[in-house]
Amino acid sequence: MPVLSGVTTTDAAERAMDISSEGLMRALLASLGFLLASGAMSAPLFRVAVGEHKPPYILQDTHSGVEYELIVTALQRAGFQLDVQHMPNKRSQGLLAVGKLDATIAATGAIASEPYIVYQNMAVTLCKDNVRLQQISDLTRYNIAAFHNASQLLGADFARINTDNQRYREVSPQYLLNRMLWAGHIQVAISDINIFKHFNREVDPKNSRALCPFALFPPTQYRLIFREASARDRFNLALRELRNNGFYELLAQKYQLSSGMQHPYFKPID
């Protein structure tokens, strides 16, 4: 049998076969890795609508805000790659219905998440004015202004007392409520307390006047509405983790919304 440098032709053939097999295996593994990576890269983005600019909840220009960060962080924690879109809630709910979105903000819906945020509308007054409010009907004694469409959103009692009330008006944008209250044009401003506090830092940066808010209205809970129940379930699981690890409290500090209470106003109560 011929010998080549101390190796038989049989040994050489077997070694060549081993090398060939190893190379083939490496090529197969590389191809598999490429296919898996390609599949991950080509996976469709999860399309979610988060509403328009509404500080401190949605800061559209900087892609931030309490509500924005809650939604995005929970969905990312649930494993979704996101396409975040800003649009009015009414439009987004229509797009969800025809399959052009995967999730959007709403109060109710067929495939609804657990509540992820609470809006707490209050009757905000200046403490120096000594306004006393125990029930919604007490508002008729004062000049009041509210955010746009408040009469449609804050319940039948509020709508009824303001149907022919010449001392009631609705204004937009919402920072006008702060200015009207400071100027003495109104005694009561109806606003979500966190939105009012946000604009208060602009209107009264030294925080020179104490606020006395009255919680006359029940809190409004918001949820994400999904096209698929499996996505909803993943979001709920991630949301519970955020609720339990202090994420809401961190957001309250970040956006200066601490109320002096351990429970931020915007955090849903278990």
Side-chain angles (χ1 to χ4, degrees), residues 11-12 16 19 54 62 64 70 78 84 86 89 106 112 116 131 142 164 166 171 173 176 181 195 225 241 245:
D11 291 338
I19 294 174
K54 183 171 50 179
T62 57
S64 60
L70 277 169
V84 182
H86 294 276
N89 289 352
Y116 69 89
V131 172
Y142 304 98
D164 298 311
Q166 300 300 314
V171 300
L176 294 177
L181 187 64
I195 293 176
I225 310 302
E241 293 174 353
N245 69 12

Side-chain angles (χ1 to χ4, degrees), residues 55 174-175 178 195-204:
Q174 288 203 41
Y175 67 80
N178 299 68
I195 293 176
F196 195 91
K197 285 184 174 182
H198 173 86
F199 288 124
N200 195 47
R201 290 194 294 272
E202 299 178 11
V203 176
D204 187 26

Side-chain angles (χ1 to χ4, degrees), residues 56 59 65-66 193-202 204-205 207 248-260 264-266:
L59 303 176
V66 172
I193 189 61
N194 290 321
I195 293 176
F196 195 91
K197 285 184 174 182
H198 173 86
F199 288 124
N200 195 47
R201 290 194 294 272
E202 299 178 11
D204 187 26
N207 196 26
Y248 282 79
E249 288 71 21
L250 289 174
L251 287 176
Q253 294 178 12
K254 177 178 179 178
Y255 291 96
Q256 302 178 50
L257 298 178
S258 176
S259 62
Y265 280 124
F266 60 85

Side-chain angles (χ1 to χ4, degrees), residues 142-187:
Y142 304 98
N143 291 325
I144 62 176
F147 61 90
H148 186 57
N149 286 334
S151 59
Q152 301 176 30
L153 300 172
L154 294 182
D157 290 342
F158 185 74
R160 184 172 54 256
I161 68 168
N162 292 312
T163 300
D164 298 311
N165 186 358
Q166 300 300 314
R167 304 178 73 180
Y168 172 79
R169 70 190 86 174
E170 296 181 359
V171 300
S172 180
Q174 288 203 41
Y175 67 80
L176 294 177
L177 293 173
N178 299 68
R179 292 185 177 180
M180 293 169 70
L181 187 64
W182 302 147
H185 298 317
I186 57 174
Q187 289 79 50

